Amino acid sequence: MANINSRVSVHSMLTAVSSKPIRPGQNHPLSALDHAMALHTLHLVFYYKKNPFGIFDVDPLRVSLSEVLSLYPQVAGRLTRGESGNWEVKCNDAGVRILRANVGVTIDEWLRSADVSEEKDLTVWEEMPEDPSTWSPFRIQVNEFEGGGVAFGLSCTHMNADPTSVTLLFKSWIESHRQEPIEHPPLFNSTLLHHQQVPDTSSKSTNYHANKANARTPSVKMVTATFRFSNSAINKCINEVRDQCPQATPFDLLAALFWTRLVLLKAPKHDNKCSLSVCLDFRRLVQPPIPLGYFGNALHFSMLTLNEEEMDYGKLGHVVELVHRHVSGVGTEEVWHAVDWLESQKEEGGKQAPPFRMYGPELTCVSMEHMIIGNKSLMSSASFKSDEKPVHVACHFGNVVGEGLIVVLPSVEEDLARTVIVTLPEEEMPQLCEDQAIQRLQPTMLFSGK
């Protein structure tokens, strides 16, 4: 909900339910990976220059949402505990909460002047109650700006879904509204992630997750900044590092750039090691691939650790190549070792192990490169009308602590353009925003409150 001084004013709430009755008695168990994400929440915001609806209560948009919810019974359900004490979704069609809000400025003024605390008011940030049996884990907030712009804020517990799932839920809603086929229909089958193999306790992915489960993180105030890099700036920089990394992607470049700059801001480690946790969607990394429409969590976290000599602060191209090599090396075996390790941590009686912090305590970088199919981004192709793409898309994660989080998203400009959303301890952010190596790429700064 909006804070008392916010320009966002929530004025009503309603519930959308499925257009078709749900068969009674359906329960969807959450996977071990879903359970591992339980400390975090997920928040996506899609901004549009024009409002695609009139009065939302009676508009076809609400009808099309109800039609889509008939394909997504888990989204309209409620969390409950199963016999072994694990979380599952009771598909009872209790519905999705929809909040309507007015924003007291135009969308252009908002993008120029809002800070990140205000942007949070466009989505719902609410901790799951102890008893969530009547609580909606998915929320949609429709924010109408002065002059006709609109922002759709989608929120959920990370335990229920990852960014790919939420993006495709929103895209499916739009396709239903446009009376088009659903390009990536949802697949609800958590057994896809059950391999029942004895985990390799010596594998690097197993050791990584074991270390995270035991990590403790001091609490400090975290702040967020958004950098938008143009296609021409990224293309120029990639060409500059082509000799060291001929196959560099925008993610390789930006992960290496922000990592090397942040290492200079942070206190040296006692072992002179620099570590970056890399988060990748693994739907298309494993063989056979998992359909993109798989609904739930399909994220793989792995650690890239370099010593100070390897970081070689003066040579960005070298670190870009090491990031590229690390990302390219993640495949079927490593992913399933990590999933099997999570499964193996069940307690007596089959109850899943307690969750641990996935975004932290080490610096973490999330790649959304998989969202680009061909030359189109799934995020920017979420258009209610063919000529009205989003003007901005944001993705935020709740309960980020530790050294920080870097999220690299496809930009609405498409091609090589990217949006980078960085969350850091408050004292480090001013220096990062003024860093000359980053400013050389002439990013557009959003939600800086200026």
Side-chain angles (χ1 to χ4, degrees):
M1 288 285 189
N3 64 57
I4 194 168
N5 297 315
S6 174
R7 292 179 287 182
V8 180
S9 174
V10 175
H11 59 79
S12 61
M13 183 170 69
L14 51 92
T15 300
V17 296
S18 169
S19 63
K20 298 177 183 177
I22 305 296
R23 180 166 53 85
Q26 288 190 63
N27 279 22
H28 172 72
L30 300 186
S31 71
L33 181 52
D34 293 333
H35 280 79
M37 306 302 299
L39 294 182
H40 301 287
T41 55
L42 179 59
H43 311 266
L44 272 72
V45 187
F46 295 81
Y47 292 86
Y48 296 86
K49 281 271 192 180
K50 294 182 180 178
N51 192 329
F53 52 85
I55 301 173
F56 187 75
D57 294 39
V58 296
D59 191 86
L61 262 179
R62 190 179 179 192
V63 175
S64 57
L65 177 57
S66 292
E67 290 172 352
V68 162
L69 290 178
S70 69
L71 302 175
Y72 287 84
Q74 281 80 347
V75 172
R78 295 294 181 264
L79 286 163
T80 185
R81 293 280 191 183
E83 290 183 5
S84 59
N86 293 327
W87 289 112
E88 52 187 47
V89 179
K90 184 177 182 180
C91 301
N92 57 2
D93 198 21
V96 173
R97 298 284 187 265
I98 300 173
L99 290 79
R100 296 186 59 201
N102 292 329
V103 186
V105 294
T106 65
I107 190 169
D108 290 332
E109 175 63 22
W110 177 266
L111 291 173
R112 276 196 304 268
S113 64
D115 60 28
V116 74
S117 66
E118 278 196 300
E119 188 182 38
K120 285 186 174 183
D121 292 336
L122 301 180
T123 61
V124 179
W125 294 71
E126 186 176 302
E127 294 294 331
M128 185 174 75
E130 192 170 325
D131 177 12
S133 59
T134 61
W135 179 78
S136 176
F138 286 85
R139 310 287 176 104
I140 299 172
Q141 185 167 316
V142 183
N143 306 278
E144 299 180 67
F145 293 88
E146 296 287 335
V150 65
F152 293 88
L154 287 79
S155 308
C156 68
T157 60
H158 208 324
M159 184 166 60
N160 285 75
D162 63 11
T164 302
S165 297
V166 176
T167 298
L168 291 181
L169 168 65
F170 185 59
K171 189 170 181 291
S172 296
W173 177 16
I174 291 173
E175 288 163 346
S176 174
H177 175 71
R178 295 180 61 170
Q179 298 184 325
E180 296 176 351
I182 304 300
E183 185 179 7
H184 300 287
L187 173 63
F188 297 94
N189 184 3
S190 58
T191 61
L192 283 174
L193 305 190
H194 291 178
H195 272 238
Q196 306 298 330
Q197 296 178 1
V198 177
D200 179 0
T201 55
S202 65
S203 75
K204 57 184 179 182
S205 61
T206 296
N207 291 334
Y208 168 71
H209 283 85
N211 290 337
K212 285 185 77 71
N214 295 320
R216 296 292 178 267
T217 307
S219 178
V220 297
K221 184 179 180 181
M222 308 293 283
V223 295
T224 301
T226 298
F227 303 76
R228 216 154 67 176
F229 296 92
S230 68
N231 174 62
S232 59
I234 297 296
N235 187 51
K236 179 182 177 182
C237 201
I238 283 181
N239 285 331
E240 290 173 355
V241 301
R242 192 75 73 186
D243 287 345
Q244 296 105 318
C245 186
Q247 296 178 302
T249 67
F251 175 78
D252 301 331
L253 170 70
L254 291 166
L257 174 63
F258 278 85
W259 185 20
T260 54
R261 308 318 296 172
L262 285 170
V263 164
L264 294 176
L265 294 183
K266 295 179 180 291
K269 301 290 174 61
H270 67 279
D271 57 1
N272 294 323
K273 298 286 187 182
C274 307
S275 294
L276 181 71
S277 173
V278 178
C279 173
L280 305 172
D281 185 289
F282 65 72
R283 287 170 175 82
R284 293 191 290 173
L285 292 180
V286 296
Q287 295 298 326
I290 294 173
L292 205 59
Y294 170 75
F295 197 89
N297 284 280
L299 299 176
H300 178 71
F301 293 79
S302 59
M303 188 74 79
L304 172 58
T305 300
L306 307 177
N307 58 41
E308 288 185 352
E309 290 181 1
E310 288 175 305
M311 287 297 284
D312 200 2
Y313 303 141
K315 296 181 180 178
L316 176 63
H318 176 63
V319 181
V320 173
E321 167 61 20
L322 294 174
V323 172
H324 177 78
R325 197 181 304 168
H326 177 85
V327 171
S328 301
V330 175
T332 303
E333 185 176 356
E334 180 178 333
V335 168
W336 292 133
H337 277 320
V339 171
D340 292 338
W341 182 84
L342 289 171
E343 286 284 349
S344 74
Q345 299 305 296
K346 288 181 180 177
E347 300 171 355
E348 189 175 347
K351 186 176 182 180
Q352 299 285 359
F356 47 90
R357 208 165 298 278
M358 302 300 283
Y359 302 108
E362 62 284 309
L363 184 65
T364 304
C365 192
V366 179
S367 171
M368 300 284 190
E369 296 293 294
H370 68 284
M371 292 279 197
I372 301 171
I373 299 178
N375 60 352
K376 293 289 185 182
S377 161
L378 292 173
M379 289 179 155
S380 60
S381 64
S383 306
F384 287 94
K385 296 180 180 178
S386 58
D387 59 341
E388 292 178 9
K389 298 191 306 181
V391 294
H392 181 60
V393 179
C395 179
H396 299 285
F397 299 87
N399 294 324
V400 174
V401 297
E403 293 192 16
L405 177 66
I406 306 163
V407 182
V408 182
L409 299 162
S411 176
V412 293
E413 185 187 335
E414 297 192 334
D415 295 323
L416 300 178
R418 295 293 183 270
T419 297
V420 181
I421 301 174
V422 183
T423 302
L424 289 176
E426 184 177 30
E427 62 183 20
E428 297 172 5
M429 187 62 79
Q431 296 176 71
L432 181 73
C433 291
E434 296 170 5
D435 185 273
Q436 291 305 301
I438 293 173
Q439 289 300 321
R440 186 175 68 88
L441 275 68
Q442 297 181 313
T444 300
M445 301 296 296
L446 299 177
F447 304 107
S448 60
K450 298 177 182 177

